[in-house]
């Protein structure tokens, strides 16, 4: 039987192997500087940090360890958001196999500390992460400052959950943290209902999620209009008005990468695997 950490690692591997996932690296498509093999190596590198969370170690320390391990490949940032989404779920599952629920994951989030938030900031020094400008009044807490922001973070006594709450209006991963992982659990159910290879079920779920909601990474990477257009194009492909394979090629050519959607699918895969999904 696989351990919780092994299921988390496997979920990262299955997510990147699914195809077609318009705009994302998959087993058929890559970017010049971000390749399929980078994601495989990143998932393996993140595994020790995932194991720490499963064993009850502090969430922030586990995240920092996972991201430092993930970064030890030439692609740099491969699964930052996916690991961030997985960790509260991994911690809940590791504590009790009956705790992998929205309530259990939310309890983990609510128990985060200022020290967890500090290690979350330190993780930004390991990789480059595309983020929006901070909200008004939060400039001293810009995550891009990394460790330099920790004294201000500690002075304001902000926990990691509170940091996520301040970003939830603009960042889909942060929103999951403070809204009970609603889309993650919906993704798990979609994958469980599907048929065929698990990785390709996950790719279908990716397309469904993208058609349902604007991807916040695309909005950050480009703008809101581009993100809304990507959602409309995904819906058209779902409706049979376009070919998902063609759309995948078009998005890669346009550098439209719905990374937040992929992160949610990776977390959904972990939930499904922990529930006994066969691979």
């Amino acid at each position: 039987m696989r351990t919780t950490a092994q299921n988390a690692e496997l979920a990262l591997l299955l997510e990147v192997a699914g195809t077609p996932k318009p705009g994302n690296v998959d087993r058929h498509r890559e970017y010049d500087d971000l390749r399929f093999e980078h994601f495989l190596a990143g998932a393996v590198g993140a595994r020790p940090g995932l194991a720490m969370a499963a064993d009850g170690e502090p969430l922030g320390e586990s995240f920092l360890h996972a991201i430092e391990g993930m970064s030890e490949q030439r692609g740099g940032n491969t699964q930052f958001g996916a690991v961030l989404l997985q960790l509260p779920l991994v911690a809940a599952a590791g504590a009790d196999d009956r705790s992998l629920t929205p309530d259990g994951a939310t309890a983990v989030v609510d128990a985060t500390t200022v020290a967890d938030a500090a290690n979350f900031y330190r993780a930004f020094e390991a990789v480059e992460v595309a983020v929006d400008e901070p909200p008004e009044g939060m400039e001293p807490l810009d995550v891009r400052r990394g460790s330099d922001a920790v004294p201000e973070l500690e002075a304001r006594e902000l926990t990691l959950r509170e940091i996520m709450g301040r970003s939830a209006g603009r960042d889909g991963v942060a929103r999951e943290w403070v809204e009970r992982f609603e889309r993650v659990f919906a993704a798990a159910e979609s994958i469980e209902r599907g048929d065929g290879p698990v990785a390709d079920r996950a790719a279908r779920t990716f397309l469904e999620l993208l058609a349902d909601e604007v991807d916040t990474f695309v909005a950050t990477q480009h703008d809101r209009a581009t993100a809304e257009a990507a959602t409309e194009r995904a819906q058209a492909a779902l409706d049979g008005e376009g070919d998902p394979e063609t759309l995948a090629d078009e998005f890669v050519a346009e550098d439209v990468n719905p990374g937040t959607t992929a992160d949610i699918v990776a977390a959904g895969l972990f939930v499904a695997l922990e529930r006994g999904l066969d691979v």
Side-chain angles (χ1 to χ4, degrees):
M1 177 180 289
R2 290 187 301 267
T3 66
T4 293
Q6 285 173 326
N7 275 336
E9 179 186 27
L10 179 57
L12 295 173
L13 295 169
L14 288 169
E15 190 285 317
V16 72
T19 187
K21 296 180 304 160
N24 270 198
V25 170
D26 63 25
R27 66 180 187 264
H28 294 162
R29 294 169 186 84
E30 300 179 325
Y31 288 92
D32 290 341
D33 57 350
L34 194 59
R35 300 199 301 274
F36 183 62
E37 66 187 46
H38 295 151
F39 282 82
L40 302 182
V44 172
R47 161 84 175 280
L50 295 167
M52 288 173 63
D55 289 342
E57 296 295 328
L59 215 63
E61 186 178 346
S62 301
F63 182 69
L64 176 59
H65 200 67
I67 296 307
E68 288 176 339
M70 180 208 77
S71 70
E72 292 176 358
Q73 35 71 31
R74 286 176 292 172
N77 178 16
T78 52
Q79 292 119 326
F80 189 99
V83 171
L84 182 58
L85 262 182
Q86 280 190 344
L87 275 181
L89 303 161
V90 169
D96 183 338
D97 62 8
R98 293 167 296 178
S99 295
L100 186 52
T101 63
D103 284 345
T106 298
V108 170
V109 167
D110 289 344
T112 58
T113 65
V114 176
D116 290 324
N119 278 321
F120 169 70
Y121 271 72
R122 293 182 182 110
F124 280 82
E125 297 178 355
V127 289
E128 273 190 41
V129 182
V131 294
D132 278 332
E133 293 297 318
E136 186 175 349
M138 290 284 286
E139 291 84 1
L141 290 169
D142 187 339
V143 291
R144 292 169 294 190
R145 297 186 64 214
S147 296
D148 290 342
V150 169
E152 181 69 20
L153 182 76
E154 293 173 337
R156 299 194 192 190
E157 298 184 339
L158 293 172
T159 68
L160 184 50
R161 192 259 180 241
E162 289 169 329
I163 290 296
M164 292 296 155
R166 282 162 169 75
S167 301
R170 300 172 296 119
D171 182 272
V173 170
R175 189 184 313 137
E176 288 295 290
W177 263 60
V178 301
E179 293 187 0
R180 297 171 53 80
F181 300 88
E182 180 179 352
R183 299 188 82 210
V184 168
F185 281 93
E189 291 169 6
S190 173
I191 292 164
E192 290 166 338
R193 286 194 306 268
D195 53 29
V198 171
D200 293 346
R201 288 192 226 174
R204 174 73 180 186
T205 296
F206 172 95
L207 193 60
E208 292 169 354
L209 290 173
L210 182 57
D212 180 63
E213 188 171 304
V214 164
D215 187 284
T216 54
F217 182 74
V218 175
T220 297
Q221 183 189 34
H222 295 279
D223 51 43
R224 180 76 184 185
T226 302
E228 289 174 349
T231 289
E232 292 169 3
R233 292 163 73 183
Q235 184 63 62
L238 270 181
D239 291 342
E241 298 170 7
D243 175 27
E245 293 279 358
T246 300
L247 184 62
D249 293 335
E250 290 172 351
F251 275 11
V252 168
E254 297 165 18
D255 195 25
V256 172
N257 184 347
T260 300
T261 305
D263 296 338
I264 292 169
V265 171
L269 274 162
F270 168 71
V271 172
L273 290 167
E274 279 287 297
R275 288 174 173 174
L277 178 67
D278 270 338
V279 179

